[in-house]
Amino acid sequence: MIVNDSCLSCPGHIYSSKQGALRRWYNPPWFSEQIPSTPYDPLALRKAFEKAVIKRLMTDVPFGVLLSGGLDSSLVAAVASRHLADSEASQQWGSQLHTFCIGLEGSPDLKAAREVADYLRTRHHQFHFTVQEGIDALEEVIYHVETYDVTTIRASTPMFLMSRKIKSLGVKMVISGEGSDEIFGGYLYFHKAPNKEEFHQETCRKIKALHLYDCLRANKSTSAWGVEARVPFLDKEFINIAMSIDPEWKMIRPDLGRIEKWVLRNAFDDEKNPYLPKHILYRQKEQFSDGVGYSWIDGLKDHANKQVTDAMLMNASFVYPENTPTTKEAYYYRTIFEKFFPKNSARSTVPGGPSVACSTAKAVEWDAAWSKNLDPSGRAALGVHAAAYEETVDTKAANLKNEPPQKPQGMLEKTAAVA
């Protein structure tokens, strides 16, 4: 149920009857956005994360891990499978971890997740969906997730479809990898951070807004089907440790061999007792809405183009003066949202502003070229993503057939390792 816009600042607050207003009770050290200076300690970071995962293995219901094959979910699965046998949950549900993944046929996530599952020897459940099935579910997704934010809807749809299938197996709780990209600056646009101060301040802004984006998706896409999602990266103790690290260590430095989230990757790079294969541990960041299959986003855009005319988009500022949609895809989602939630108080709960590859509006200023390519997909990070958008790429023909788009000669394969 959507509430009024005053709840945009609700996380970490309580209502004070004396003051007659909300007041913040959760005041962690990083909230002030002051630049920390604690030296990087990989073992301390590793132990803190393992503790956060073990804490979330306390359960009396069937459970599993959402495994996309990317760094974050793979680390969650690796730590969970390593410690499951020693937990009380294993006595009731067995010592073999269940993992779940969804994607279009032949998608990057399905391949990577299968490889990680085989390495960890989990009981892996692989689900497929088609672009048309995703499009058919859009109205349900927007109703349950209660947003018209483009990137949230793109990612929520496959997660919504997967949660339905997970619930049908009798599973009631899943552990997921949300939060890591916000804490460690894992989104590809962080490559352009000009200095450690702006890098750290952007991570703080991203964490503060999680309840409007990734946590909104993870919570509501799963709870729509009665499944509980737990997120160890957002354990309060772990966040405090990770956010106290001098951000110079988090900066993306190709000259030093540091890619995005290097501090996390390095913390789990154990030669004697490896958690993951090297190429998975150092796999390039892939946003969930991209990793389920590139033709998913391209198919959504094509569908929206058929539903929204050029004239409708030109007059968008008159129809939707608040958070005016700037693309046909955004306009299409907005019309569905307004059908379910027509009140001003509802639309005000959804944030707006320019974004590229999931950045905040402030971070768009880091690269002048981004202002001409405002799209939340990771492929919008031109010059960074191994399969970044190019004007010559013809993705249109294959979208609704679930076929991968043809790549022009010279385009790097998406799965190229960045080490």
Side-chain angles (χ1 to χ4, degrees):
M1 176 179 176
I2 284 187
V3 293
N4 62 44
D5 56 351
S6 65
C7 278
L8 284 174
S9 60
C10 279
H13 285 71
I14 59 173
Y15 181 80
S16 171
S17 57
K18 291 182 178 179
Q19 298 176 5
L22 293 170
R23 67 174 179 85
R24 173 167 291 280
W25 63 267
Y26 179 57
N27 285 296
W30 57 266
F31 203 86
S32 65
E33 301 186 12
Q34 291 184 353
I35 311 304
S37 58
T38 304
Y40 168 52
D41 184 343
L43 288 181
L45 189 66
R46 183 200 297 183
K47 289 178 181 177
F49 183 66
E50 288 189 313
K51 182 179 178 181
V53 174
I54 293 169
K55 181 179 179 180
R56 282 153 185 83
L57 290 176
M58 292 190 297
T59 181
D60 57 0
V61 298
F63 72 99
V65 171
L66 302 185
L67 178 62
S68 69
L71 173 68
D72 307 328
S73 63
S74 297
L75 283 179
V76 172
V79 174
S81 62
R82 187 169 289 199
H83 294 279
L84 179 59
D86 298 326
S87 69
E88 291 185 10
S90 67
Q91 299 175 17
Q92 188 171 5
W93 307 111
S95 59
Q96 187 179 27
L97 184 69
H98 288 258
T99 52
F100 308 95
C101 184
I102 191 168
L104 302 177
E105 197 75 47
S107 72
D109 277 3
L110 291 180
K111 179 181 178 182
R114 171 60 69 182
E115 184 176 2
V116 174
D118 290 344
Y119 180 82
L120 299 176
R121 298 180 180 179
T122 70
R123 178 80 176 274
H124 191 56
H125 307 266
Q126 183 171 282
F127 306 122
H128 299 90
F129 77 105
T130 65
V131 173
Q132 189 58 54
E133 285 174 336
I135 290 172
D136 291 342
L138 282 175
E139 289 206 2
E140 273 190 282
V141 170
I142 292 172
Y143 174 77
H144 283 287
V145 180
E146 301 176 331
T147 188
Y148 50 83
D149 176 69
V150 171
T151 186
T152 303
I153 294 170
R154 287 176 177 178
S156 293
T157 304
M159 196 169 192
F160 177 84
L161 295 174
M162 176 170 58
S163 298
R164 178 173 62 188
K165 296 182 179 184
I166 288 174
K167 180 60 180 295
S168 70
L169 297 175
V171 173
K172 296 185 178 181
M173 184 273 282
V174 291
I175 307 176
S176 191
E178 277 76 18
S180 173
D181 292 311
E182 288 74 13
I183 294 170
F184 296 105
Y187 293 109
L188 297 183
Y189 72 89
F190 276 94
H191 279 252
K192 301 288 187 175
N195 52 60
K196 72 175 187 179
E197 290 79 15
E198 290 208 37
F199 188 104
H200 180 72
Q201 289 164 1
E202 175 70 1
T203 60
C204 292
R205 288 191 292 265
K206 291 292 293 181
I207 296 172
K208 292 175 183 179
L210 266 170
H211 65 291
L212 301 172
Y213 297 105
D214 283 30
C215 283
L216 180 81
R217 165 180 55 79
N219 179 37
K220 295 188 176 182
S221 296
T222 54
S223 61
W225 297 104
V227 177
E228 175 196 359
R230 297 182 180 179
V231 282
F233 278 108
L234 296 178
D235 179 86
K236 291 193 289 293
E237 184 178 339
F238 177 75
I239 292 178
N240 288 341
I241 291 174
M243 292 300 288
S244 69
I245 299 172
D246 186 334
E248 183 65 39
W249 288 95
K250 296 181 181 180
M251 291 282 287
I252 298 164
R253 296 284 303 276
D255 57 318
L256 298 177
R258 296 181 191 169
I259 63 172
E260 63 275 357
K261 293 187 287 193
W262 177 84
V263 293
L264 180 63
R265 301 175 196 270
N266 182 66
F268 285 89
D269 194 351
D270 190 334
E271 296 286 352
K272 295 182 180 179
N273 189 17
Y275 286 78
L276 294 168
K278 283 273 191 181
H279 64 282
I280 294 292
L281 193 61
Y282 289 93
R283 183 189 181 198
Q284 186 181 55
K285 163 66 185 173
E286 194 68 84
Q287 288 170 207
F288 184 49
S289 53
D290 286 325
V292 296
Y294 287 158
S295 56
W296 166 234
I297 290 178
D298 297 329
L300 286 174
K301 290 181 177 180
D302 272 3
H303 179 70
N305 287 340
K306 296 173 184 176
Q307 306 299 317
V308 181
T309 65
D310 293 340
M312 291 167 68
L313 188 61
M314 285 180 61
N315 292 312
S317 60
F318 300 105
V319 182
Y320 304 119
E322 183 179 359
N323 281 349
T324 303
T326 57
T327 66
K328 290 184 178 181
E329 185 185 6
Y331 191 105
Y332 178 59
Y333 298 156
R334 185 65 173 272
T335 59
I336 298 174
F337 179 88
E338 296 280 343
K339 180 172 71 172
F340 293 123
F341 312 110
K343 294 185 178 181
N344 289 331
S345 58
R347 69 179 66 98
S348 296
T349 64
V350 182
S355 175
V356 61
C358 286
S359 75
T360 65
K362 178 66 176 176
V364 173
E365 301 172 4
W366 291 351
D367 191 319
W370 285 349
S371 62
K372 303 174 184 177
N373 192 52
L374 297 175
D375 190 285
S377 168
R379 289 183 290 163
L382 303 179
V384 176
H385 197 293
Y389 286 138
E390 292 187 16
E391 292 181 359
T392 57
V393 179
D394 181 14
T395 60
K396 302 301 181 184
N399 287 334
L400 294 176
K401 295 181 181 179
N402 266 350
E403 298 172 1
Q406 297 297 312
K407 297 180 180 178
Q409 291 184 350
M411 175 181 265
L412 293 175
E413 287 296 324
K414 186 193 94 37
T415 53
V418 182

